[in-house]
Amino acid sequence: MIRIGLAGYGYWGPNLARAVSEAGETVVEMIADQSEAALERAGTRHPSARLTRSIPEMIADPKVDAVMIATPVHTHFDLAMAAIRAGKHVLVEKPMAETPDRARLLVDAADRRGVVLMVDHTFVYTGAVQKIASLIREGRIGDLFYYNSTRVNLGIFQRDVNVIWDLAVHDFAIMDHLFTARPAAISASAAGFIDGSPENLAHLTIFFEDGAQAHLNVNWLSPVKIRQILIGGSRQMIVYDDMLNSEKVKIYDRGAQAPTTPYADMVAYRLGDMHAPALSTKEALLTEVEEFARAITEGDAPMTDGIGGLRVVEMLAAASKSTQMRGFPVDLMTQRVAS
Amino acid sequence: MIRIGLAGYGYWGPNLARAVSEAGETVVEMIADQSEAALERAGTRHPSARLTRSIPEMIADPKVDAVMIATPVHTHFDLAMAAIRAGKHVLVEKPMAETPDRARLLVDAADRRGVVLMVDHTFVYTGAVQKIASLIREGRIGDLFYYNSTRVNLGIFQRDVNVIWDLAVHDFAIMDHLFTARPAAISASAAGFIDGSPENLAHLTIFFEDGAQAHLNVNWLSPVKIRQILIGGSRQMIVYDDMLNSEKVKIYDRGAQAPTTPYADMVAYRLGDMHAPALSTKEALLTEVEEFARAITEGDAPMTDGIGGLRVVEMLAAASKSTQMRGFPVDLMTQRVAS
Amino acid sequence: MIRIGLAGYGYWGPNLARAVSEAGETVVEMIADQSEAALERAGTRHPSARLTRSIPEMIADPKVDAVMIATPVHTHFDLAMAAIRAGKHVLVEKPMAETPDRARLLVDAADRRGVVLMVDHTFVYTGAVQKIASLIREGRIGDLFYYNSTRVNLGIFQRDVNVIWDLAVHDFAIMDHLFTARPAAISASAAGFIDGSPENLAHLTIFFEDGAQAHLNVNWLSPVKIRQILIGGSRQMIVYDDMLNSEKVKIYDRGAQAPTTPYADMVAYRLGDMHAPALSTKEALLTEVEEFARAITEGDAPMTDGIGGLRVVEMLAAASKSTQMRGFPVDLMTQRVAS
Amino acid sequence: MIRIGLAGYGYWGPNLARAVSEAGETVVEMIADQSEAALERAGTRHPSARLTRSIPEMIADPKVDAVMIATPVHTHFDLAMAAIRAGKHVLVEKPMAETPDRARLLVDAADRRGVVLMVDHTFVYTGAVQKIASLIREGRIGDLFYYNSTRVNLGIFQRDVNVIWDLAVHDFAIMDHLFTARPAAISASAAGFIDGSPENLAHLTIFFEDGAQAHLNVNWLSPVKIRQILIGGSRQMIVYDDMLNSEKVKIYDRGAQAPTTPYADMVAYRLGDMHAPALSTKEALLTEVEEFARAITEGDAPMTDGIGGLRVVEMLAAASKSTQMRGFPVDLMTQRVAS
């Protein structure tokens, strides 16, 4: 059994603790939170876990094999670094760190220490994204042309991060998993319409090195909730609508072809069948905790490893920089990290 | 009765001719097309109209009071200018001209000659857009925050114009009608994935002078057809889904408010009712032809007049320029036209 | 070329005439209508057709090979019988006649005279129904368990027929085409909520001889338009939603299985993929006219022949009888017609 | 504080216990279940509740003010009767009893003993049904014409009860709450397509004494889950779709009117606005527990009292009887209970 120490029992921590206790190879060894009330709630749900108000004490505890960090973003770096230095495996909430530099320091430290560093990009572990990834790997979609995501709803306004760091981060993580080509540049514009709160609306265009384009439309001030991703490929196309109760992923055998003879000068269309595969209904967070356990046991990289987390932070940083230049594209090439 | 001369009986011309014959105050006097086959079709449908293969002859005809131009874009300027100089009222297909300069020359010429110059921005005359416009005018939406349009489908690839000139033009015309603030700059990126054809995918951000933002997502290579516009205001919000058979326009009494006291630091949400008003089911094109007749008879500007057509062409030109600079925002301020 | 004489140029007749003129092997030879205004409209659209106010004259005309009857229901029998006796092939609007007896007389007469008798059950010729029929034939659906149709909308109230004869007739025709088992009994209840007009709401249960059940929910007084058919089979299940713009037919690889071992006492579920085949977009009415021409040329029965039309009329009569007995099931066995 | 004793901690019991502990005026005093494992789960969640394997012991406990019964249907009568006789208030799972006679005995006993008898018809307490009820009460819908419910899904096949007792019971309870007119007769047909399990498909028509009609379509063997209720009235109409994430209840200002003058013989349609009111998002079960507490404290009848529970059981019994006669309508008039 892998003994988990959990830092932070606020909004997301309880979900992690539950998943750890439901997974086969992990157990909640300790829970640390500065709030007495949070610890009380933790004790009721996890009576066999030891509780402490000191995260450093938990990190130092010899009976803790791995640490999960579910604290505010600005604390991720210090806590993750301390855990790595203590020789613990680490799963850290998204985004991994506030800056690419700090994210890279964590990757390098985990590398040197030989521990697993994983980022909690939960969406990657959904049945929908896993199915899309396997369709792409099998070549059924063909060359990827575009990724188009609409991720809008009313609230919840964050106080510390804007809508890009809150919502676009999910698409960055999903794209990092799906695309083999890497983003070359990002153009982003943002606007805020509620005084005293961060930008609530943003549009981002990501230019991939192979010519593909992604576009993200994120907004906290939409009257309706939309979670829709269109993926266009040379062979087939995908619509992934996460608001549906079933048939979330639809694959369309549709497309257009360039004229094949010099005399035929019209674009031809293909209008074939649509197919909605059955998706795994296993909870994403449970799959993720099992992946963390597997990576620790087998010693290889998890699907959402530190390098991927670093790439996502780089994209976030580039997007933020672009918004300050009214959409001027920010190059990712020079600072890019090989996977 | 206003006697109409129609130039061009190809794809759109027959629709204009039918609407002219159905409207109360207009009659199809002449139809001109270079194709004998087109004229034959025109004769069957409109037996009382005179036919000719010479558009100049039709423009010069003393029994023609007004000319409608439904020919390829590159001919709009010459034909419209000839008609204006002949003292005819003119309705010209969108886009009004290929460049802002030429559009402005038409506006000035019509002004000097005292004839009506109108552009066929059909969408503006739909029951949906007219209802949205009246809601905005009545103050029910409040300050406009954003306009967000997804206008994607599979095909029809155009050979001469790209997806911006084909699809985004509709949103430019609708926004020109709905917004009183004017666009200050446009950022656009485009991509083409089918060899030998124009760009099929584009994302445009329009920055309005009052801080509002619009975003357009247009694509000819989407597996599904989407026509969805979200409009966010300080009081209410609108979702306009043109693919629905009914309830195309929904108004949500929803929003977010900044904290009103120094101690309350959280954004508050309002989650009220939704309302879908009954819309006029009158055909947009018929409403448009009647507006043309009304403008001629009463001597005042039609809803989609030449100035509006010029502003739309300016937006198209700015968007095209931005795509060549990978999304660098192109300023509209200096070349802007007062309404 | 098969020369068609059309009786009735009111609501549906113009559609038939257009389809006849578009199909490859038929031509509109004559059009007969008692209304001078209707004939005028007919002349404009079909300048080469001969016009007459006398249907008998048209039926007797030696240049008319086949007659299409698009007149009110109570005239179907007399006109169809006259045409059959004149040796003409006949396509008659649905329902074929007012009573099963009269429908049977037409079938017998056409049989003796050796002419084609076909009923205009247009829905059967849609791409959707044809696809469903082929899926059933190929065994992909397995044994048919149930057919469940919701066919409701607001209006159009008919004056002469109630909602069963107006709407349920479509499902009767579709089921007659899809099911090989025959209906054994029908239970129906109806209600009318608008004074002075026929029943606007009805629920019908059809008991098939093999245990399958169909259920129809028809209503002229629904706030929304629904056209949804669920078909359950032992292998797969179908949802056919005719209000969708695309993917009208969806096939679900889902079902339940009885326990297979004495110790396993729970029903097991199968939750597989969904598949939406591309459907033919050819107009149903055109397909139907071509089927009429094919039957005449090749001398065999059309898909919706007189026998099928008779079975549909029998179902309508049985349903009407049941509604007068508050849903008491009316047996179809004794009066049933072999296909 | 009202001290609750809960009988049964299987599938539904834990939900009741949670709601009791969340409501303001109730507390979980005891939990009784014959299964040791169930009691263990109960102890973890409700550490301050006393546990017992003997339901009679719990009923007799002087510190228990009211009993909630969440055990199998065939035990409802005995347990509820024992609790009533012990002077306890009772909330019993739906259906209240297996037969109308037994349901009536419970009503009479509670009456004599002066205790509250309430049935757990949870749906009645949803924001959606409460909103619809208030719209009807305010006269906005007008006279009720029909109630039409489609309640279908794949599984869960029950072993002991058929689809009528499992699914139609919800509509019976909702109608009992919404309609002031009472059902006069019920016609029902059912079919089962999986060997060894109860009927999985049924269609029910309920004839109300004032001419209104209800129709229920329930099915465990549908490929898709549908929860849609249409309610037609003389003034407005309602569509309630419980599968939607928002805007579950839509009110349409639509209808048809009989001709008002002798010369106007056509039915006229009204096509007005649609309105989707914001619904209470409070959990239905919590509202229900508070209603139970309120009825106990104030001494008046709860919304879903024993009489209503009896009427629902009568409808279930009548429907079952009708299915054995292939839909012959079973009269409810003679056995009807005044509200």
Side-chain angles (χ1 to χ4, degrees):
Chain A
M1 284 305 233
I2 299 164
R3 295 165 298 182
I4 303 290
L6 171 63
Y9 200 81
Y11 168 68
W12 192 244
N15 296 326
L16 282 171
R18 181 182 48 70
V20 166
S21 69
E22 289 176 6
E25 306 185 15
T26 51
V27 64
V28 184
E29 177 66 29
M30 286 185 85
I31 298 175
D33 197 296
Q34 293 178 320
S35 149
E36 200 58 60
L39 288 183
E40 200 168 317
R41 282 193 304 273
T44 309
R45 292 280 180 82
H46 301 278
S48 59
R50 285 181 290 143
L51 308 176
T52 173
R53 293 184 63 177
S54 162
I55 296 177
E57 182 192 309
M58 183 190 77
I59 287 175
D61 193 285
K63 285 196 174 152
V64 165
D65 303 314
V67 171
M68 292 186 176
I69 297 169
T71 55
V73 178
H74 69 271
T75 66
H76 286 184
F77 175 76
D78 287 342
L79 296 180
M81 189 57 90
I84 290 167
R85 286 182 177 153
K88 315 286 178 170
H89 305 288
V90 173
L91 173 73
V92 64
E93 264 302 274
K94 57 96 187 162
M96 184 160 83
E98 291 169 294
T99 66
D101 286 348
R102 295 191 137 196
R104 188 188 301 265
L105 287 171
L106 291 178
V107 169
D108 291 346
D111 241 29
R112 278 195 306 273
R113 205 58 172 81
V115 295
V116 169
L117 174 62
M118 176 164 163
V119 187
D120 179 13
H121 291 316
T122 321
F123 261 95
V124 169
Y125 296 92
T126 57
V129 172
Q130 285 302 306
K131 172 60 73 175
I132 294 170
S134 81
L135 290 168
I136 291 174
R137 262 199 315 273
E138 293 160 11
R140 285 192 45 195
I141 309 306
D143 298 329
L144 291 179
F145 287 161
Y146 65 83
Y147 172 103
N148 196 298
S149 173
T150 303
R151 194 177 291 275
V152 304
N153 52 260
L154 189 55
I156 309 298
F157 277 71
Q158 307 281 321
R159 272 201 264 168
D160 303 331
V161 300
N162 69 10
V163 73
I164 293 176
W165 286 72
D166 179 47
L167 293 182
V169 64
H170 296 302
D171 289 298
F172 285 155
I174 294 171
M175 288 192 291
D176 189 69
H177 187 64
L178 297 181
F179 283 64
T180 45
R182 292 293 159 210
I186 294 183
S187 163
S189 62
F193 298 111
I194 305 297
D195 289 343
S197 50
E199 292 94 338
N200 64 274
L201 169 156
H203 296 285
L204 304 90
T205 303
I206 298 95
F207 303 87
F208 284 82
E209 55 191 11
D210 66 350
Q213 266 197 22
H215 190 79
L216 318 181
N217 171 6
V218 291
N219 190 351
W220 283 332
L221 204 61
S222 163
V224 289
K225 184 172 183 179
I226 304 176
R227 294 285 184 268
Q228 187 177 55
I229 296 173
L230 276 69
I231 299 176
S234 59
R235 300 191 58 192
Q236 302 213 55
M237 302 188 188
I238 292 173
V239 178
Y240 163 27
D241 187 337
D242 203 42
M243 295 305 292
L244 296 179
N245 294 309
S246 57
E247 283 86 63
K248 284 173 191 278
V249 174
K250 299 196 178 76
I251 307 143
Y252 293 83
D253 183 22
R254 295 183 184 165
Q257 270 115 19
T260 46
T261 68
Y263 301 108
D265 57 358
M266 293 297 289
V267 169
Y269 299 96
R270 198 176 66 254
L271 275 165
D273 293 4
M274 181 265 271
H275 183 81
L279 302 178
S280 164
T281 55
K282 188 170 176 178
E283 196 200 2
L285 199 51
L286 186 58
T287 307
E288 183 183 318
V289 168
E290 291 176 355
E291 171 76 356
F292 187 44
R294 192 199 58 72
I296 292 171
T297 308
E298 305 188 5
D300 58 3
M303 274 200 288
T304 52
D305 63 359
I307 305 275
L310 162 56
R311 284 191 300 257
V312 168
V313 173
E314 286 189 322
M315 287 190 254
L316 288 167
S320 292
K321 198 169 159 194
S322 178
T323 62
Q324 289 154 15
M325 299 185 291
R326 222 170 58 170
F328 189 84
V330 171
D331 223 321
L332 281 162
M333 278 313 206
T334 53
Q335 46 186 309
R336 225 174 104 252
V337 186
S339 60
Chain B
M1 285 304 234
I2 298 165
R3 294 164 299 182
I4 304 289
L6 172 63
Y9 199 81
Y11 168 68
W12 191 243
N15 297 326
L16 282 171
R18 181 183 46 72
V20 166
S21 68
E22 288 176 6
E25 306 184 12
T26 51
V27 63
V28 184
E29 177 66 28
M30 287 185 84
I31 298 175
D33 198 296
Q34 292 178 321
S35 149
E36 200 59 58
L39 287 183
E40 200 169 317
R41 283 194 302 274
T44 309
R45 291 280 180 82
H46 300 278
S48 58
R50 286 180 290 143
L51 308 176
T52 174
R53 294 184 61 177
S54 161
I55 296 178
E57 183 192 308
M58 183 191 76
I59 287 175
D61 193 283
K63 285 194 175 154
V64 165
D65 304 315
V67 172
M68 292 185 175
I69 297 169
T71 55
V73 177
H74 70 270
T75 67
H76 285 183
F77 175 76
D78 286 343
L79 296 179
M81 189 56 90
I84 290 168
R85 284 181 179 155
K88 314 286 177 169
H89 305 288
V90 173
L91 174 72
V92 64
E93 265 302 275
K94 57 96 187 161
M96 185 159 84
E98 291 169 293
T99 66
D101 285 349
R102 294 190 140 198
R104 188 189 301 264
L105 288 171
L106 291 179
V107 170
D108 292 345
D111 240 29
R112 277 195 306 273
R113 204 58 172 83
V115 294
V116 170
L117 174 62
M118 177 165 163
V119 187
D120 180 12
H121 291 315
T122 320
F123 260 96
V124 169
Y125 296 93
T126 57
V129 173
Q130 286 301 308
K131 172 61 73 174
I132 294 170
S134 81
L135 290 168
I136 291 174
R137 260 198 318 271
E138 293 160 11
R140 286 190 44 194
I141 309 307
D143 298 329
L144 291 179
F145 288 161
Y146 64 83
Y147 173 103
N148 196 298
S149 174
T150 303
R151 195 177 289 274
V152 305
N153 52 261
L154 188 56
I156 311 298
F157 276 71
Q158 307 282 320
R159 273 202 261 167
D160 303 332
V161 300
N162 69 11
V163 73
I164 293 176
W165 287 73
D166 180 47
L167 293 182
V169 64
H170 296 303
D171 289 298
F172 285 155
I174 293 170
M175 288 192 292
D176 189 69
H177 187 65
L178 296 182
F179 282 64
T180 45
R182 293 293 158 209
I186 294 182
S187 162
S189 62
F193 299 110
I194 305 299
D195 288 343
S197 50
E199 292 94 338
N200 65 274
L201 168 157
H203 297 286
L204 303 90
T205 303
I206 298 95
F207 304 88
F208 284 82
E209 54 190 13
D210 66 349
Q213 267 197 21
H215 190 78
L216 318 180
N217 171 7
V218 291
N219 189 351
W220 284 332
L221 203 62
S222 162
V224 289
K225 184 172 184 180
I226 304 176
R227 293 285 183 271
Q228 188 178 56
I229 296 173
L230 275 70
I231 298 175
S234 59
R235 301 190 57 191
Q236 302 213 54
M237 302 188 188
I238 292 172
V239 178
Y240 163 27
D241 187 337
D242 203 41
M243 295 304 292
L244 295 180
N245 294 309
S246 57
E247 282 85 63
K248 285 174 191 277
V249 174
K250 298 197 180 76
I251 307 143
Y252 293 82
D253 183 21
R254 293 182 185 166
Q257 270 114 17
T260 45
T261 68
Y263 301 108
D265 58 357
M266 293 297 288
V267 168
Y269 300 96
R270 199 176 68 254
L271 275 165
D273 293 3
M274 181 265 272
H275 184 80
L279 302 178
S280 164
T281 55
K282 189 170 177 178
E283 196 200 1
L285 199 51
L286 186 58
T287 306
E288 183 183 319
V289 168
E290 291 177 356
E291 172 77 355
F292 187 44
R294 192 199 59 71
I296 292 171
T297 308
E298 305 188 4
D300 58 3
M303 275 200 286
T304 53
D305 63 359
I307 304 276
L310 162 55
R311 284 191 300 256
V312 169
V313 172
E314 286 190 322
M315 288 189 254
L316 289 167
S320 292
K321 199 170 158 192
S322 178
T323 62
Q324 290 154 14
M325 300 185 291
R326 223 170 57 170
F328 188 84
V330 171
D331 222 319
L332 280 162
M333 277 314 204
T334 55
Q335 46 186 310
R336 218 171 112 257
V337 185
S339 59
Chain C
M1 282 306 233
I2 298 165
R3 294 164 299 182
I4 304 289
L6 172 63
Y9 199 82
Y11 169 67
W12 192 244
N15 297 327
L16 282 171
R18 181 183 47 71
V20 166
S21 69
E22 288 176 6
E25 306 185 13
T26 52
V27 64
V28 185
E29 177 66 28
M30 285 184 85
I31 297 175
D33 198 297
Q34 292 178 321
S35 149
E36 201 58 60
L39 288 183
E40 201 168 317
R41 285 194 302 274
T44 309
R45 292 280 180 82
H46 301 278
S48 58
R50 284 180 292 142
L51 308 177
T52 174
R53 295 184 61 178
S54 163
I55 296 177
E57 184 192 308
M58 183 191 76
I59 287 175
D61 194 284
K63 285 195 174 152
V64 166
D65 303 315
V67 171
M68 292 184 175
I69 298 170
T71 56
V73 178
H74 69 272
T75 66
H76 285 183
F77 175 75
D78 286 343
L79 296 179
M81 188 58 88
I84 290 168
R85 285 183 178 152
K88 315 288 178 168
H89 305 287
V90 174
L91 174 73
V92 62
E93 264 301 275
K94 57 94 187 164
M96 184 161 82
E98 290 169 294
T99 67
D101 286 348
R102 295 192 140 196
R104 188 188 301 264
L105 286 171
L106 291 179
V107 170
D108 291 345
D111 240 30
R112 278 195 306 273
R113 204 58 172 81
V115 295
V116 169
L117 174 61
M118 177 164 163
V119 187
D120 179 13
H121 291 315
T122 321
F123 261 95
V124 169
Y125 297 93
T126 56
V129 173
Q130 286 301 308
K131 172 60 75 177
I132 294 171
S134 80
L135 291 167
I136 291 174
R137 262 199 317 272
E138 293 161 10
R140 287 192 42 195
I141 309 306
D143 298 329
L144 291 179
F145 288 161
Y146 65 83
Y147 173 103
N148 196 298
S149 173
T150 302
R151 195 177 288 276
V152 305
N153 52 260
L154 188 57
I156 307 298
F157 277 71
Q158 307 282 320
R159 272 201 263 168
D160 302 331
V161 299
N162 69 11
V163 73
I164 293 176
W165 286 72
D166 180 46
L167 293 183
V169 63
H170 296 303
D171 290 297
F172 285 155
I174 293 171
M175 288 191 291
D176 189 69
H177 187 65
L178 296 182
F179 282 64
T180 46
R182 291 294 158 208
I186 294 183
S187 163
S189 62
F193 299 110
I194 305 298
D195 290 341
S197 51
E199 292 95 337
N200 66 273
L201 167 157
H203 297 286
L204 304 91
T205 303
I206 297 96
F207 303 89
F208 284 83
E209 55 189 14
D210 65 349
Q213 267 196 23
H215 190 79
L216 318 181
N217 171 6
V218 291
N219 190 349
W220 284 333
L221 204 61
S222 162
V224 289
K225 184 173 185 180
I226 305 177
R227 294 285 184 270
Q228 188 177 56
I229 296 172
L230 275 69
I231 298 176
S234 58
R235 301 191 57 192
Q236 302 213 55
M237 301 187 189
I238 293 173
V239 178
Y240 163 27
D241 187 336
D242 202 41
M243 295 305 293
L244 296 179
N245 295 309
S246 56
E247 284 84 64
K248 285 174 191 280
V249 174
K250 299 197 179 76
I251 307 144
Y252 293 83
D253 184 20
R254 294 182 185 167
Q257 270 115 17
T260 47
T261 67
Y263 301 109
D265 57 358
M266 294 297 288
V267 169
Y269 299 96
R270 198 177 67 254
L271 275 165
D273 293 5
M274 182 265 271
H275 184 79
L279 301 178
S280 164
T281 55
K282 188 170 176 177
E283 195 200 2
L285 199 51
L286 186 58
T287 307
E288 183 184 318
V289 168
E290 291 177 355
E291 171 76 355
F292 187 44
R294 192 199 57 70
I296 291 170
T297 309
E298 305 187 4
D300 57 3
M303 274 200 287
T304 54
D305 63 1
I307 304 275
L310 163 55
R311 284 190 301 256
V312 168
V313 173
E314 285 189 323
M315 289 189 253
L316 288 167
S320 291
K321 200 170 156 192
S322 178
T323 61
Q324 289 154 16
M325 299 186 291
R326 223 170 57 173
F328 188 83
V330 171
D331 221 321
L332 280 162
M333 277 312 206
T334 56
Q335 47 186 310
R336 225 174 106 251
V337 186
S339 61
Chain D
M1 282 307 232
I2 299 165
R3 296 163 298 182
I4 304 289
L6 172 62
Y9 200 81
Y11 169 67
W12 193 244
N15 297 327
L16 282 171
R18 181 182 46 71
V20 166
S21 69
E22 288 176 6
E25 306 185 14
T26 52
V27 65
V28 185
E29 177 66 29
M30 287 184 83
I31 297 175
D33 197 298
Q34 293 177 321
S35 148
E36 201 57 61
L39 287 183
E40 199 168 317
R41 284 194 302 274
T44 309
R45 291 281 180 81
H46 300 278
S48 58
R50 286 180 290 142
L51 308 176
T52 173
R53 293 183 64 178
S54 162
I55 296 177
E57 182 192 308
M58 182 190 78
I59 287 174
D61 194 284
K63 285 195 175 155
V64 166
D65 304 314
V67 172
M68 292 185 176
I69 298 170
T71 55
V73 178
H74 69 272
T75 66
H76 286 183
F77 175 75
D78 286 342
L79 296 179
M81 188 57 89
I84 290 168
R85 285 183 179 152
K88 313 287 177 167
H89 305 288
V90 173
L91 174 73
V92 62
E93 264 302 276
K94 57 94 188 164
M96 184 160 84
E98 290 169 294
T99 66
D101 285 348
R102 296 192 139 197
R104 188 188 301 263
L105 287 171
L106 291 178
V107 169
D108 291 345
D111 241 29
R112 278 195 306 273
R113 204 60 171 81
V115 295
V116 170
L117 174 61
M118 178 164 161
V119 188
D120 179 12
H121 291 316
T122 321
F123 262 95
V124 169
Y125 296 93
T126 56
V129 173
Q130 286 301 308
K131 174 59 76 175
I132 294 170
S134 80
L135 291 167
I136 291 174
R137 261 199 317 273
E138 294 161 10
R140 286 191 44 194
I141 309 305
D143 299 328
L144 291 179
F145 288 161
Y146 65 82
Y147 173 103
N148 196 298
S149 173
T150 303
R151 194 177 290 276
V152 304
N153 52 259
L154 189 57
I156 308 299
F157 276 71
Q158 307 282 319
R159 274 203 261 168
D160 303 332
V161 299
N162 69 11
V163 73
I164 292 176
W165 287 73
D166 180 47
L167 293 182
V169 63
H170 295 303
D171 289 298
F172 286 155
I174 293 171
M175 288 192 291
D176 190 69
H177 187 65
L178 296 182
F179 282 64
T180 46
R182 291 293 159 210
I186 295 183
S187 163
S189 61
F193 299 110
I194 305 298
D195 289 342
S197 51
E199 292 96 337
N200 65 273
L201 168 157
H203 297 286
L204 304 92
T205 303
I206 297 96
F207 303 88
F208 284 83
E209 54 190 14
D210 65 349
Q213 268 196 21
H215 190 78
L216 317 181
N217 171 6
V218 291
N219 190 350
W220 283 334
L221 204 62
S222 162
V224 289
K225 184 172 185 180
I226 305 177
R227 294 285 184 270
Q228 189 178 55
I229 296 173
L230 275 69
I231 298 176
S234 58
R235 300 190 57 190
Q236 302 213 56
M237 302 186 187
I238 293 173
V239 177
Y240 163 27
D241 187 337
D242 202 41
M243 295 304 293
L244 296 179
N245 295 309
S246 58
E247 284 85 64
K248 285 173 191 279
V249 174
K250 299 196 180 76
I251 307 144
Y252 293 83
D253 184 22
R254 293 181 186 168
Q257 271 114 17
T260 46
T261 67
Y263 301 108
D265 57 357
M266 294 297 288
V267 168
Y269 300 95
R270 199 178 66 255
L271 276 165
D273 292 5
M274 181 264 271
H275 184 80
L279 302 178
S280 164
T281 55
K282 188 169 177 178
E283 196 199 2
L285 200 51
L286 186 58
T287 306
E288 184 184 317
V289 168
E290 291 177 354
E291 172 76 355
F292 188 44
R294 191 198 57 72
I296 291 171
T297 309
E298 306 188 4
D300 58 3
M303 274 201 287
T304 54
D305 63 0
I307 305 274
L310 163 55
R311 284 190 301 258
V312 168
V313 173
E314 286 190 321
M315 288 189 255
L316 288 167
S320 292
K321 199 169 159 194
S322 178
T323 61
Q324 289 154 16
M325 300 186 290
R326 221 170 58 173
F328 188 83
V330 171
D331 222 321
L332 281 162
M333 278 311 207
T334 56
Q335 47 186 308
R336 225 175 104 248
V337 186
S339 61

